[in-house]
Amino acid sequence: MAPPDDAVDKIAALQEEVDQLRQALVSHAAVDQAIGVLMAAARLRSQEGWEVLQFVSQHTNIKLREIAQHVLRWAEDGELPDAVRTTLHTAVIRTRRQRLRSASRSDQGGRAGQQRRRSAYDSRMDGSVWSGETAEICDWGG
């Protein structure tokens, strides 16, 4: 005897939900790993890494989980699609400048402290993973 239509519909809906939850779990792991790559490679904080991934996703019109997968592949082989590389570069620079501005606003050391931080920031940026035409993972120095 075949199950009633209600039961078949319920089973199909539950199977679809399980599939979506599995995909979400895989996507979440990839996003977390990509945030870790950005934290290590660009010396970002966790929240900043998340914001960079969101920025790149929104400005390239590519799903966030796909951006995360690109970042993970980049960590392995150094390759990024041009649009992602360019937007990622922009997002990291933007995020680091925002942090610098925030730090200089809260600085109690006055203009001299602000100038020291800016110089240290500029020297780190010169040896950054984002300089040049290709993205490479390397030590930021500083």
Side-chain angles (χ1 to χ4, degrees), residues 12-114:
L14 289 171
Q15 185 59 49
E16 184 177 338
E17 184 177 355
V18 167
D19 292 343
Q20 289 172 352
L21 289 170
R22 283 188 180 139
Q23 180 60 45
L25 191 60
V26 169
S27 296
H28 183 74
V31 169
D32 282 348
Q33 290 170 14
I35 289 170
V37 168
L38 293 174
M39 289 172 67
R43 294 199 178 170
L44 298 178
R45 297 177 180 129
S46 178
Q47 182 62 33
E48 292 169 336
W50 167 251
E51 291 166 1
V52 163
L53 291 176
Q54 285 182 311
F55 180 93
V56 174
S57 175
Q58 290 169 357
H59 287 82
T60 59
N61 200 26
I62 299 172
K63 291 183 180 186
L64 193 125
R65 74 171 176 263
E66 292 176 33
I67 296 298
Q69 290 166 346
H70 284 302
V71 169
L72 293 176
R73 272 188 239 111
W74 170 72
E76 291 178 7
D77 62 22
E79 297 293 324
L80 274 174
D82 287 340
V84 173
R85 179 178 38 82
T86 302
T87 309
L88 185 60
H89 173 82
T90 300
V92 168
I93 298 301
R94 179 179 155 272
T95 299
R96 297 199 41 91
R97 285 185 178 152
Q98 285 174 344
R99 187 192 313 165
L100 181 65
R101 279 193 296 272
S102 176
S104 67
R105 271 187 245 122
S106 64
D107 180 29
Q108 300 300 320
R111 195 156 186 77
Q114 181 179 2

